[in-house]
Amino acid sequence: MNIELLHFCFSPYNEKVRWALDIKKLTHRRTSLLPGPHVRQVRRLTGQTATPVLQLGEKWIVGSGNILAALDNLQTSPQLIPEDEQQKALALEIQRKFDDDWGPRIRRVVISALMNDTSDLVSVFSGHKSAFVRLPYRCVIPLAKPLIAKGNDITGPASIKDGETAIAEAMEFVADSIGD
């Protein structure tokens, strides 16, 4: 079966899927995309613009949670999501909290900090690409900053402060979960 991951190198959602593919030892191809130019390709394949996107045979699956579930259906061992219903519900709730709440809020802090220095932003977004690709990307990034801010719900200092609050909430959750 043809398995291909379309991903951003720097995204924790994408990293989660890379880990899952490695844990399952599934042979696959990884295609690293540039944020912005990725829109056309991903929209054509999936009708939306988010990554990660995984091709399983002829099917395209969007979103790290959906991809993990599909990988467990494809290959049951090792299991990524617990089979026990209570543990599964807890794991999916934790995943939802990180993916849908804390993750996007924390991303505002990170992206906002990166937008303060174009070199940092270009390095993180395109550092894995050749100089031939990075140069025009570097020229376009300053013009794209308002779109980047809008796409990440960076609306001002209050949105950044909310992201900092999310970092504290997530870290407190992790510390409480680990215990002594």
Side-chain angles (χ1 to χ4, degrees):
M1 172 184 295
N2 182 40
I3 302 175
E4 180 179 5
L5 174 64
L6 304 180
H7 67 109
F8 294 150
C9 287
F10 58 85
S11 166
Y13 302 96
N14 294 262
E15 184 68 9
K16 181 169 70 170
V17 173
R18 290 189 294 266
W19 286 2
L21 288 162
D22 290 346
I23 287 167
K24 291 206 176 262
K25 295 180 174 54
L26 290 168
T27 302
H28 62 282
R29 191 173 91 204
R30 295 180 182 179
T31 302
S32 179
L33 304 173
L34 277 174
H38 83 285
V39 167
R40 187 171 172 198
Q41 178 182 9
V42 172
R43 184 174 284 141
R44 179 179 48 81
L45 296 169
T46 67
Q48 57 82 57
T49 61
T51 65
V53 175
L54 187 75
Q55 180 184 24
L56 282 178
E58 299 301 315
K59 186 176 181 182
W60 290 94
I61 302 162
V62 177
S64 59
N66 294 332
I67 292 170
L68 266 58
L71 292 175
D72 269 350
N73 287 334
L74 176 69
Q75 180 178 306
T76 58
S77 181
Q79 197 70 25
L80 300 169
I81 300 167
E83 290 182 19
D84 174 81
E85 287 304 316
Q86 206 170 11
Q87 289 180 346
K88 180 178 183 176
L90 177 59
L92 292 176
E93 177 55 28
I94 292 169
Q95 176 177 257
R96 187 207 60 76
K97 189 70 174 165
F98 274 95
D99 286 358
D100 300 338
D101 181 12
W102 291 324
R105 292 167 59 206
I106 291 168
R107 183 174 53 224
R108 289 185 213 141
V109 176
V110 174
I111 298 294
S112 177
L114 287 172
M115 287 196 312
N116 289 330
D117 185 329
T118 299
S119 294
D120 289 344
L121 191 63
V122 170
S123 177
V124 169
F125 281 9
S126 68
H128 59 287
K129 297 292 186 180
S130 70
F132 180 76
V133 171
R134 283 194 319 270
L135 180 61
Y137 197 71
R138 180 177 179 72
C139 294
V140 171
I141 283 289
L143 302 172
K145 283 184 180 181
L147 291 173
I148 295 167
K150 182 178 180 183
N152 289 283
D153 201 26
I154 301 170
T155 57
S159 66
I160 304 305
K161 180 68 176 159
D162 179 61
E164 292 167 349
T165 299
I167 293 169
E169 292 169 0
M171 296 307 291
E172 184 177 328
F173 170 81
V174 170
D176 290 348
S177 298
I178 293 171
D180 294 335

